[in-house]
Amino acid sequence: MEKLKPRTLSGFMELLPAPQTQMERMMAILRETYELYGFTPLDTPLLESAEILLAKGGGESEKQIYRFQKGDSDLALRFDLTVPLAKYVALHAGELSFPFRRYQIGKVYRGERAQRGRFREFYQADIDIIGDGKLDILNEAEIPSIIYTIFRRLGLTRFVIRVNNRKLLNGFYALLGLTEKSGDIMRTVDKLDKIGADKVRVILLEDCGLAQEQADEILRFIAIKGTNAEVLEKLADWQGKNEVFDLGLSELTAVVKYLGAFGVPEENFAVDLTIARGLDYYTGTVYETTLLDHPEIGSVCSGGRYDSLAEYYTDRQLPGVGISIGLTRLFYVLGEQGMLNPNLPTAPADCLLLPMTEDVSAAVRLATELRKAGIRTQIYSEQKKFKAKMSYADKLGIPYVVFLGEDEIAQGVCSVKNLRTGEQVSLPAEGAAKLIREGISAMSDDTVIIEK
Amino acid sequence: MEKLKPRTLSGFMELLPAPQTQMERMMAILRETYELYGFTPLDTPLLESAEILLAKGGGESEKQIYRFQKGDSDLALRFDLTVPLAKYVALHAGELSFPFRRYQIGKVYRGERAQRGRFREFYQADIDIIGDGKLDILNEAEIPSIIYTIFRRLGLTRFVIRVNNRKLLNGFYALLGLTEKSGDIMRTVDKLDKIGADKVRVILLEDCGLAQEQADEILRFIAIKGTNAEVLEKLADWQGKNEVFDLGLSELTAVVKYLGAFGVPEENFAVDLTIARGLDYYTGTVYETTLLDHPEIGSVCSGGRYDSLAEYYTDRQLPGVGISIGLTRLFYVLGEQGMLNPNLPTAPADCLLLPMTEDVSAAVRLATELRKAGIRTQIYSEQKKFKAKMSYADKLGIPYVVFLGEDEIAQGVCSVKNLRTGEQVSLPAEGAAKLIREGISAMSDDTVIIEK
């Protein structure tokens, strides 16, 4: 028969078992942590009506979207998890309790130009808290504290969650008489890290049409540095002149205070007046997260506060705050940087059980006992040489091999060999389970990510 | 602004938070059990090249597939998890260790005519064991024993895994001189449950062109009933006349023996000579699983042994055995039948923390302590009346409310109210965590499914 060369589409991540297990571990940590903070899991369709997904219209999303006809239907694959959330909340608002806290870890699709490290199918891990009409400021501090907890659990310490407030920026631009231009200015200032202050100044003067003094004032403002307390103190200079600015400053002050109460140390979060998030969507606190040793990656986790989640679908005022981790890209970058812990156990089983008798019923019963005791057990019953069997365990990184021959069966024991130490002991099923459980437990303290 | 009516595509399941939590619990049980048996998780793209997915060509899949052009690419959404597995194994064979045991729980797409209980996007939960050239018969008994374990863990007892063997059938038809027609005959016999013996006979005679005696012999064969031992004994009547039959009988005998060793009771599995699975793909043991009280649903979990997983992509001989649960449909049917346990806790949090002070820093610190102790905690900081806050906890089914006012803060305690019993006690954070943990633990023994 003519064979078709097997291939996976370019821009679509498909992992081998060991890295897949690392990825699963990351996702499990995300799920557990989100749930610890009272978020409920959500799962919306990958496919939606194109009209629904593109309600907001225009922009990058429309160009990159996977859209097609099926029968009479104009369909599209979701390009983020926010639009499906907006649809979900608008559709089911009467059946939900607000604040509605949900997490969703799911694949999204963007037909970007394929290049190294860019994905067309990738996981986003989103959390959002949606209020009905109002939403307390505390939520804007809790969201980055969750990210802090997750990153620490993954094994990262060298990261900074950068926080700013759009009201503060809008108020500041209003003070300068630049309200009309604040969108353009924020998009320009957002590029500071990439292009530097001089080029930002040029764009502000030439493209945005600002006066010298206005540009200077903006550059002075965004150059404010120091501890969070120092930055907040310097911002007080502008206080009392504009209501929106004052509101933004009080929100930012509250977020800084509560981030501390949530146990996030100063070294992991910083007020940073240069970030704005390029989207008009955000209206309050905004976040970006950078890895200190890899600033070139850009933000690995971003989000913020918005006033209208679902204005395209409903009149109901649904303010919220959310943040998104680009999981596939993060995982790829961590791999590229050698930051995925090679010692993290990725074996599919805790022990490989080798029956040494023709009738394997006794081995089957032993496997059942071990599994009942929570030991992930694989019976290896293929007719292979002993060496091949041991090499199989070794290749998969299975830490224990259990032998069961006539002698062991007669004595009511099995032989357990620790492949890392070479140590071998004979003991009854219960003891074997205990030995393996303790050994595995000692190994699984390792984190997914290691910093060098 | 003009509003667009929010909607979800017909045939696409989108659950509210409480049922979603039940579904997540089902999936967690599947994952845990698969892993207990040494299966590694896999995650392949939803989108593949249409050419790859349709390598096998023709059939129902081609008509129902979601297929479209994007740029120069002819793409399609996967319609099952088997074809992507075949591609994966053919593509990565050199990097995998065999037997390769993988599970995958993922969405697949079929553009079926939309009707109640039929889904166009639905989860399949697949396990497969793939050998390199050979695969031991033990695997054919282990696969249904995993399904047994899963169903029991979900809370089901009234189900039967029906087992047959294609070699036994092929050998039997060869004995009757009907090898050429065995495919047609098996497809006909497969309908026995639906159309009855008389109609099967008519089809065998008229459509398949069998002689009276041949049809009678087939009907006698598939009418064999009794305990598994009795069925196997009756089958011995045909032994010694055809090699393929004898091989099938010895395989079936081994599967029955080892299913017992795996701890599957006789009431949950039965040799059933009428099932064949309509696909030519299967070559040995085949499975179907029915709920005893709901035979009208048909098989909720099917699969079998095959000789060539990936013959369209590679010359390498990759025999395997696998089984698939149609999870979305099963979940839907369980809901329709009222079999989803309403007492299963679906709250997104174990406790709702109500700060009774303006500065909520102390509440934030308490929440952090509770979370460190593993208690899923939500802080409710919205400005609402007390009654509204309690009603929020009640609606979400959150079992505990924790109050923290000035008095409690001064005394270093918090007040914990059990909403089910109304009982309220004041105690320090550590004690509160212990109290809540024990209460939750007592509640979570419930199974997802209840039988009436």
Side-chain angles (χ1 to χ4, degrees):
Chain A
M1 183 165 53
E2 187 76 41
K3 306 296 172 194
L4 191 65
K5 194 167 180 287
R7 63 192 171 89
T8 299
L9 292 168
S10 148
F12 288 66
M13 182 180 271
E14 184 173 79
L15 298 169
L16 284 170
Q20 182 63 44
T21 302
Q22 294 173 312
M23 179 66 146
E24 300 279 336
R25 179 76 83 97
M26 278 184 68
M27 291 204 255
I29 289 171
L30 264 61
R31 279 197 298 266
E32 278 164 29
T33 312
Y34 294 152
E35 289 177 7
L36 207 51
Y37 285 78
F39 287 76
T40 198
L42 216 65
D43 183 13
T44 63
L46 276 290
L47 268 183
E48 301 264 7
S49 151
E51 182 190 43
I52 291 288
L53 285 191
L54 295 169
K56 207 172 173 175
E60 279 304 296
S61 8
E62 185 145 16
K63 266 181 283 174
Q64 297 184 341
I65 200 167
Y66 284 86
R67 180 179 185 171
F68 61 96
Q69 293 281 322
K70 170 91 180 164
D72 295 335
S73 306
D74 181 10
L75 305 174
L77 286 163
R78 66 186 179 202
F79 54 85
D80 71 8
L81 300 176
T82 302
V83 177
L85 173 66
K87 181 215 71 176
Y88 181 91
V89 176
L91 185 57
H92 304 293
E95 298 152 287
L96 300 175
S97 299
F98 294 92
F100 175 57
R101 298 157 79 93
R102 86 84 176 80
Y103 74 86
Q104 185 163 6
I105 302 175
K107 286 178 170 177
V108 305
Y109 296 81
R110 295 185 195 171
E112 297 205 56
R113 196 164 62 82
Q115 50 178 313
R116 216 175 144 65
R118 285 277 162 198
F119 295 93
R120 291 170 169 174
E121 175 184 75
F122 56 98
Y123 276 102
Q124 286 193 334
D126 280 24
I127 43 173
D128 284 88
I129 306 172
I130 316 295
D132 184 14
K134 282 185 182 180
L135 190 68
D136 191 72
I137 184 71
L138 182 64
N139 298 293
E140 288 167 56
E142 191 173 38
I143 288 274
S145 83
I146 299 168
I147 297 303
Y148 164 78
T149 305
I150 283 176
F151 277 25
R152 286 301 304 269
R153 287 179 173 204
L154 288 174
L156 286 168
T157 60
R158 298 197 35 78
F159 65 91
V160 170
I161 304 170
R162 302 194 290 164
V163 179
N164 197 6
N165 188 296
R166 289 287 288 256
K167 293 192 186 78
L168 191 82
L169 298 183
N170 287 331
F172 174 73
Y173 295 127
L175 272 174
L176 298 185
L178 289 170
T179 295
E180 306 282 291
K181 292 180 174 170
S182 64
D184 288 343
I185 298 172
M186 282 189 243
R187 273 185 288 274
T188 308
V189 167
D190 202 28
K191 295 176 193 153
L192 184 71
D193 269 3
K194 284 182 198 148
I195 62 175
D198 290 347
K199 284 195 182 150
V200 165
R201 194 167 193 280
V202 171
I203 298 177
L204 289 177
L205 294 175
E206 293 179 5
D207 296 358
C208 306
L210 267 57
Q212 296 266 5
E213 311 77 54
Q214 291 173 319
D216 288 344
E217 185 78 352
I218 289 168
L219 286 168
R220 266 197 297 277
F221 178 81
I222 61 178
I224 295 175
K225 297 274 180 245
T227 64
N228 292 328
E230 284 164 3
V231 172
L232 291 174
E233 204 186 308
K234 285 176 196 162
L235 286 171
D237 289 354
W238 284 278
Q239 216 170 359
K241 296 169 188 166
N242 178 284
E243 269 184 25
V244 178
F245 181 92
D246 291 356
L247 184 54
L249 184 55
S250 81
E251 287 182 3
L252 192 57
T253 306
V255 167
V256 167
K257 178 176 79 172
Y258 287 134
L259 266 168
F262 274 115
V264 185
E266 281 263 339
E267 70 224 54
N268 291 116
F269 78 98
V271 173
D272 183 332
L273 302 176
T274 68
I275 68 158
R277 304 300 304 149
L279 300 165
D280 292 333
Y281 182 58
Y282 293 115
T283 54
T285 309
V286 285
Y287 320 101
E288 289 189 357
T289 311
T290 39
L291 303 184
L292 286 174
D293 302 323
H294 299 286
E296 75 283 2
I297 300 169
S299 175
V300 293
C301 177
S302 315
R305 154 86 191 209
Y306 44 86
D307 280 343
S308 298
L309 173 71
E311 58 181 337
Y312 299 96
Y313 313 118
T314 177
D315 283 323
R316 198 154 170 171
Q317 181 72 12
L318 298 165
V321 55
I323 203 160
S324 177
I325 303 178
L327 202 54
T328 300
R329 180 163 157 75
L330 177 61
F331 185 81
Y332 172 83
V333 166
L334 292 169
E336 288 290 294
Q337 300 294 342
M339 290 172 74
L340 293 171
N341 187 352
N343 295 322
L344 186 79
T346 56
D350 302 325
C351 76
L352 189 70
L353 173 51
L354 302 188
M356 314 298 260
T357 53
E358 195 167 333
D359 183 316
V360 299
S361 298
V364 167
R365 281 190 292 270
L366 173 60
T368 304
E369 274 193 78
L370 292 173
R371 286 163 180 161
K372 277 191 182 145
I375 306 299
R376 299 180 305 149
T377 304
Q378 177 180 348
I379 309 172
Y380 190 103
S381 57
E382 306 308 311
Q383 302 301 315
K384 294 264 183 181
K385 296 221 170 93
F386 181 76
K387 209 178 149 187
K389 296 177 183 179
M390 295 303 283
S391 149
Y392 179 84
D394 191 50
K395 268 188 198 153
L396 288 177
I398 299 175
Y400 292 91
V401 170
V402 176
F403 307 101
L404 190 67
E406 299 294 357
D407 287 356
E408 280 95 353
I409 295 172
Q411 295 168 36
V413 297
C414 60
S415 297
V416 181
K417 183 176 180 128
N418 181 328
L419 291 194
R420 298 198 177 186
T421 63
E423 213 177 335
Q424 184 170 330
V425 289
S426 287
L427 65 191
E430 205 179 314
K434 186 165 177 286
L435 177 76
I436 296 171
R437 191 184 311 114
E438 287 169 1
I440 295 292
S441 156
M443 272 182 264
S444 51
D445 287 341
D446 286 336
T447 57
V448 182
I449 302 174
I450 40 162
E451 289 170 339
K452 291 183 237 186
Chain B
M1 182 165 53
E2 187 75 42
K3 306 296 173 194
L4 190 65
K5 193 165 180 289
R7 63 192 171 88
T8 299
L9 292 169
S10 149
F12 287 66
M13 182 179 270
E14 184 172 79
L15 298 168
L16 285 170
Q20 181 63 43
T21 303
Q22 294 174 312
M23 180 66 146
E24 300 278 338
R25 180 76 83 96
M26 278 183 68
M27 290 203 255
I29 289 171
L30 265 59
R31 278 198 297 268
E32 278 164 28
T33 312
Y34 294 152
E35 288 177 6
L36 207 50
Y37 285 79
F39 287 76
T40 198
L42 215 66
D43 183 13
T44 63
L46 276 290
L47 269 182
E48 301 265 7
S49 153
E51 183 190 41
I52 291 289
L53 285 190
L54 295 169
K56 206 170 172 177
E60 278 305 294
S61 8
E62 184 144 16
K63 268 182 281 175
Q64 297 184 341
I65 200 167
Y66 284 86
R67 179 179 183 172
F68 60 96
Q69 292 282 321
K70 170 93 180 164
D72 294 335
S73 305
D74 181 9
L75 305 174
L77 286 163
R78 64 186 180 202
F79 53 85
D80 71 7
L81 300 177
T82 302
V83 177
L85 173 66
K87 180 214 72 177
Y88 182 91
V89 176
L91 185 57
H92 303 292
E95 298 152 288
L96 300 174
S97 299
F98 293 92
F100 174 59
R101 298 159 78 93
R102 84 86 174 81
Y103 74 87
Q104 183 163 8
I105 302 175
K107 287 178 170 175
V108 305
Y109 297 80
R110 295 185 195 171
E112 296 205 57
R113 197 165 62 81
Q115 51 179 310
R116 216 175 144 66
R118 284 279 162 198
F119 295 93
R120 291 171 170 172
E121 176 185 72
F122 55 97
Y123 276 102
Q124 285 193 335
D126 281 23
I127 44 173
D128 285 88
I129 306 173
I130 315 296
D132 186 14
K134 283 186 183 180
L135 190 67
D136 190 71
I137 185 71
L138 182 64
N139 298 292
E140 287 168 55
E142 190 174 39
I143 288 273
S145 82
I146 299 169
I147 297 303
Y148 165 77
T149 304
I150 283 177
F151 278 25
R152 287 301 304 268
R153 287 180 173 203
L154 288 174
L156 287 168
T157 60
R158 296 195 39 76
F159 64 91
V160 169
I161 303 170
R162 301 194 289 163
V163 179
N164 197 6
N165 188 295
R166 289 287 289 256
K167 292 193 186 79
L168 190 81
L169 298 182
N170 287 330
F172 174 73
Y173 296 125
L175 272 174
L176 299 184
L178 289 170
T179 296
E180 305 282 290
K181 292 180 174 171
S182 64
D184 288 343
I185 298 172
M186 282 188 240
R187 271 184 289 274
T188 307
V189 167
D190 202 28
K191 295 175 193 153
L192 184 71
D193 270 2
K194 284 181 197 149
I195 64 176
D198 289 347
K199 285 196 181 147
V200 164
R201 195 167 192 281
V202 171
I203 299 177
L204 289 178
L205 294 174
E206 294 179 4
D207 297 357
C208 305
L210 266 57
Q212 296 265 7
E213 311 78 55
Q214 290 173 320
D216 289 343
E217 183 78 351
I218 289 168
L219 286 167
R220 266 196 298 278
F221 177 82
I222 61 179
I224 295 176
K225 297 275 180 247
T227 64
N228 292 326
E230 284 164 2
V231 173
L232 291 174
E233 204 185 307
K234 285 177 197 160
L235 286 171
D237 288 354
W238 285 277
Q239 217 171 357
K241 297 171 189 167
N242 178 285
E243 269 185 26
V244 178
F245 181 92
D246 292 355
L247 184 54
L249 184 55
S250 80
E251 287 183 2
L252 192 57
T253 306
V255 166
V256 168
K257 176 177 80 172
Y258 288 134
L259 266 168
F262 275 115
V264 184
E266 279 263 339
E267 71 224 53
N268 292 116
F269 77 98
V271 173
D272 183 332
L273 301 177
T274 69
I275 69 159
R277 304 297 307 147
L279 300 164
D280 293 333
Y281 183 57
Y282 294 114
T283 53
T285 309
V286 286
Y287 321 101
E288 289 190 358
T289 312
T290 39
L291 304 184
L292 286 175
D293 302 322
H294 300 285
E296 75 283 3
I297 301 168
S299 176
V300 294
C301 177
S302 315
R305 154 84 191 210
Y306 42 87
D307 279 344
S308 297
L309 172 71
E311 58 180 336
Y312 300 96
Y313 313 118
T314 176
D315 283 322
R316 200 154 169 172
Q317 182 73 11
L318 298 165
V321 56
I323 202 161
S324 177
I325 303 178
L327 202 54
T328 300
R329 179 163 159 74
L330 178 61
F331 185 81
Y332 172 83
V333 167
L334 292 169
E336 287 290 293
Q337 301 293 344
M339 290 172 73
L340 292 171
N341 187 353
N343 296 322
L344 185 79
T346 57
D350 301 325
C351 76
L352 189 71
L353 173 51
L354 303 188
M356 314 299 259
T357 53
E358 195 167 333
D359 183 316
V360 299
S361 298
V364 167
R365 281 190 292 271
L366 174 59
T368 304
E369 274 192 78
L370 291 174
R371 287 162 179 162
K372 277 191 182 146
I375 306 300
R376 298 179 306 147
T377 304
Q378 177 182 348
I379 309 173
Y380 190 102
S381 57
E382 306 307 310
Q383 302 301 314
K384 295 265 184 180
K385 295 221 170 95
F386 181 76
K387 210 178 147 187
K389 295 178 183 179
M390 295 303 282
S391 150
Y392 178 84
D394 192 49
K395 269 188 198 153
L396 288 177
I398 299 175
Y400 291 91
V401 170
V402 176
F403 308 102
L404 191 67
E406 298 294 358
D407 287 356
E408 279 94 354
I409 295 172
Q411 295 168 38
V413 297
C414 60
S415 297
V416 181
K417 183 174 179 130
N418 180 329
L419 291 194
R420 300 197 176 187
T421 63
E423 211 178 337
Q424 183 170 331
V425 290
S426 286
L427 64 191
E430 207 179 313
K434 186 165 176 285
L435 178 75
I436 297 170
R437 192 184 310 114
E438 286 168 1
I440 295 292
S441 156
M443 273 182 263
S444 49
D445 287 340
D446 286 336
T447 56
V448 182
I449 302 175
I450 41 164
E451 289 170 339
K452 291 184 237 186

